[in-house]
């Protein structure tokens, strides 16, 4: 059985990830963007500001017992997002597709489910597909 705190951590991480990576749909398309993409439009500082909620997802993973290699993978997702996001225009376009926060939330869910040998009640994750966390 999954500890209630770990379930709350997953729910918080997924909620933050949806807001940061998929809060809004661009009208007339199936493309979803979040506050991370919007903040990224502000050169330099926008991408850096978007790291705060992303780092919180990393903290939730740490609090849920994620091993160092998983935390490193999640940090690498954020690092790629931040570094490429610093490049004007190219970074903004990249950010729409990369969605590091959604990847990290899926990695957290996958870790907790594997660690406790069970699936949560919301196992089809954010996309409605089974939890897969390959970036």
């Amino acid at each position: 059985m999954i500890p209630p705190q770990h379930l709350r951590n997953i729910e918080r991480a997924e909620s933050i990830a949806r807001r940061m990576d998929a809060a809004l749909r661009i009208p007339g398309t199936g493309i979803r963007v979040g506050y991370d993409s919007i903040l990224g439009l502000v050169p330099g500082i926008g991408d850096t500001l978007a790291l705060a909620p992303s780092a919180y997802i990393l903290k939730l993973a740490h609090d849920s017992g994620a091993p160092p290699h998983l935390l490193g993978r999640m940090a690498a997702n954020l690092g790629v997002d931040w570094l490429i996001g610093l490049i004007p225009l190219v970074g903004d376009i990249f950010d729409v597709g990369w969605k590091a926060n959604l990847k990290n939330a899926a990695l957290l869910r996958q870790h907790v489910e594997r660690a406790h040998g069970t699936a949560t009640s919301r196992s089809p994750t954010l996309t409605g597909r089974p939890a897969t966390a390959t970036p």
Side-chain angles (χ1 to χ4, degrees):
M1 181 167 169
I2 297 175
Q5 182 60 42
H6 292 189
L7 289 174
R8 282 190 294 276
N9 288 348
I10 291 170
E11 289 171 4
R12 283 185 193 131
E14 289 176 343
S15 175
I16 291 167
R18 278 190 300 274
R19 279 184 260 142
M20 292 303 292
D21 290 345
L24 309 165
R25 188 176 58 80
I26 298 174
T29 71
I31 299 170
R32 298 194 67 84
V33 298
Y35 299 114
D36 187 8
S37 297
I38 294 167
L39 284 168
L41 294 173
V42 179
I45 194 162
D47 290 297
T48 302
L49 289 173
L51 281 177
S54 301
Y56 184 65
I57 292 173
L58 214 60
K59 180 198 178 304
L60 292 171
H62 178 269
D63 292 348
S64 296
H69 74 275
L70 180 60
L71 295 172
R73 184 174 177 187
M74 293 171 79
N77 285 339
L78 297 180
V80 167
D81 185 40
W82 177 76
L83 191 61
I84 295 178
L86 293 175
I87 304 168
L89 189 59
V90 172
D92 299 322
I93 293 168
F94 175 80
D95 195 48
V96 170
W98 183 247
K99 302 195 183 306
N101 295 300
L102 289 174
K103 289 178 186 208
N104 286 347
L107 285 169
L108 171 57
R109 176 178 285 279
Q110 186 179 47
H111 161 71
V112 170
E113 288 176 352
R114 283 185 179 169
H116 297 283
T118 183
T120 61
S121 62
R122 295 179 57 211
S123 261
T125 60
L126 304 168
T127 60
R129 290 178 273 156
T132 57
T134 53

